Amino acid sequence: MRRRTFLKNATSAGAGGVAAGIAAPALAQGRLEWRLVTTWPKNLPGLGTAPELLAQMIGKASDGRLTVRVFGSGELVPPFEALDAVATGTVEMGHGSPFYWKGRIPAVQFLTTFPFGLLADEQNAWYQHGGGLNLAGDIYRQMGCKFFPCGNTGPQMGGWFNREINAIGDFKGLKMRIPGLGGAVVSAAGGEVVTLPGAEIPSALESGALDAAEWVGPYNDLAFGLYKSARYYYYPGWHEPGSTLDCFINAAVWEKLPSDLQAIVEHACGAVNQMVLSEFNARNGSSLRILLDDHKVQLRRFPDTVLQELGKLSGEVLTDLGSKDPLSRSVLDSLLKFRAEQASWSALAEQSFLEARSLPYTFARPTGN
Ligand code: CA
């Protein structure tokens, strides 16, 4: 009961207020304890496990000088108030994804991903060597936080559909759960975009309240049982080619942290950034096999003509957003310039290699195995 009251107080205090029930961090013998709030249910595969990994790594690497206690979505603050809770110093640290904070600064949404944007490796290359970290650092500083990329889902799927998509006109009147920039593009194509939390997707598909829904990819979609509620599983995930997750730390708390602990936090975020992507890649492959072999899911590829139209609409949606806000335009300009440079190399190196590896003569396993 006391715990319930505490949580209720903490939640109703909202982002701006310092909840009476949240104790200040324990500080004994030079040891620090930070509280980390997330936008994810605790231990949600791939997403919710990222902050747990981060906390374990920081605790071990610092030999307990800095420990991080993870709270799942709603445990201390509602999920979409996580950044405010960190910015105001209610807690020290948070984990989510940049596009959740677009209500604060619109440009932040482009830091997650964008339609027909960058693959996870390209996105990380932009952050590290394409000016992305500087741009993101400035945006998060304006929100009172220090920023690190801290996980990537890799390419997502196009979504689950109960109608076939053969032409762009098939999006007209389509009731689809697809948030963010992808949703703006589907809306521009005449779709009826519905906002729903992930957990409500299966029943909405079954009742016909939705004709289609995107969630993440095989790993998360299998866990949700989405194959039970929709006929076709479409690809590619044109709208989310590599979604970045974020770690954000209260700016004043970060500045006060000794430099060796700062380095530990920074490198732990870097390690988790890669580990989450590896987890998604590994689990997506095995989950796709289960969806196809055990659940007889029908895969469908969006026709090229549909992808071309979605690409054209994406350009219009992004141009429009950029024209409304100079900071959005500078982030988009940087991303689009990087994509243009990267596209020729990725096509030459990765795309042509993947085509070569898929040719019919390529061996499945070494002889004798
Ligand atoms: Ca998604």
Side-chain angles (χ1 to χ4, degrees):
M1 188 64 199
R2 277 184 66 191
R3 179 171 161 77
R4 240 183 234 167
T5 312
F6 158 74
L7 292 178
K8 190 164 166 258
N9 287 343
T11 303
S12 61
V18 177
I22 303 178
L27 179 62
Q29 299 166 346
R31 289 173 183 250
L32 290 167
E33 184 185 287
W34 282 4
R35 291 146 307 171
L36 184 158
V37 290
T38 77
T39 56
W40 324 113
K42 222 165 152 74
N43 290 316
L44 182 72
L47 303 169
T49 48
E52 303 284 352
L53 264 176
L54 183 65
Q56 285 168 20
M57 221 176 277
I58 291 171
K60 273 190 191 164
S62 70
D63 196 24
R65 284 171 59 214
L66 175 59
T67 54
V68 177
R69 197 170 158 207
V70 178
F71 295 90
S73 124
E75 279 193 283
L76 285 185
V77 295
F80 301 130
E81 290 181 17
L83 185 118
D84 281 342
V86 172
T88 55
T90 303
V91 296
E92 292 77 22
M93 194 175 196
H95 189 269
S97 187
F99 71 82
Y100 289 138
W101 325 122
K102 70 174 182 178
R104 292 280 298 266
I105 294 187
V108 79
Q109 64 189 310
F110 307 109
L111 300 176
T112 295
T113 184
F114 63 100
F116 299 92
L118 304 175
L119 288 166
D121 283 344
E122 297 172 331
Q123 180 96 345
N124 286 329
W126 176 72
Y127 272 121
Q128 298 298 334
H129 301 284
L133 275 182
N134 281 342
L135 278 168
D138 286 344
I139 291 171
Y140 276 74
R141 202 171 300 120
Q142 287 181 41
M143 298 194 293
C145 294
K146 175 74 184 170
F147 161 83
F148 294 109
C150 195
N152 194 300
T153 64
Q156 300 201 3
M157 284 291 280
W160 297 86
F161 288 71
N162 274 322
R163 288 195 213 163
E164 278 192 271
I165 300 291
N166 297 312
I168 192 72
D170 293 330
F171 277 98
K172 280 220 162 62
L174 185 89
K175 288 174 287 183
M176 182 167 187
R177 186 266 181 200
I178 174 169
L181 295 165
V185 175
V186 167
S187 179
E192 196 182 310
V193 174
V194 180
T195 308
L196 268 188
E200 292 174 29
I201 295 173
S203 59
L205 279 170
E206 268 164 40
S207 72
L210 285 178
D211 302 312
E214 76 81 53
W215 177 228
V216 186
Y219 180 31
N220 291 142
D221 294 1
L222 174 66
F224 258 22
L226 291 177
Y227 59 89
K228 295 177 198 158
S229 320
R231 215 165 295 156
Y232 310 113
Y233 199 18
Y234 267 89
Y235 71 97
W238 55 273
H239 61 301
E240 285 193 78
S243 293
T244 293
L245 312 180
D246 61 357
C247 169
F248 40 97
I249 298 158
N250 176 277
V253 168
W254 174 257
E255 290 305 322
K256 275 189 282 182
L257 195 68
S259 60
D260 59 334
L261 291 180
Q262 283 187 343
I264 284 172
V265 172
E266 180 177 355
H267 292 298
C269 285
V272 171
N273 196 43
Q274 183 56 47
M275 286 165 80
V276 170
L277 179 60
S278 301
E279 181 181 349
F280 271 104
N281 278 335
R283 302 284 178 247
N284 275 332
S286 54
S287 301
L288 180 64
R289 190 172 40 75
I290 294 170
L291 286 170
L292 299 182
D293 294 351
D294 299 354
H295 301 301
K296 312 295 178 203
V297 163
Q298 296 187 49
L299 274 182
R300 290 281 189 282
R301 188 183 186 280
F302 289 119
D304 282 347
T305 50
V306 170
L307 292 168
Q308 279 166 358
E309 291 292 334
L310 289 170
K312 191 166 151 261
L313 290 170
S314 298
E316 290 168 12
V317 165
L318 294 175
T319 302
D320 182 48
L321 288 168
S323 71
K324 288 176 182 157
D325 169 40
L327 187 54
S328 290
R329 191 162 60 206
S330 65
V331 175
L332 268 173
D333 281 353
S334 172
L335 282 162
L336 292 174
K337 183 168 168 275
F338 194 82
R339 186 184 68 167
E341 286 167 1
Q342 199 65 29
S344 53
W345 169 241
S346 295
L348 189 81
E350 299 202 30
Q351 194 171 328
S352 61
F353 170 75
L354 290 173
E355 283 163 11
R357 200 172 66 176
S358 303
L359 289 171
Y361 62 74
T362 307
F363 59 82
R365 286 183 179 186
T367 316
N369 278 352

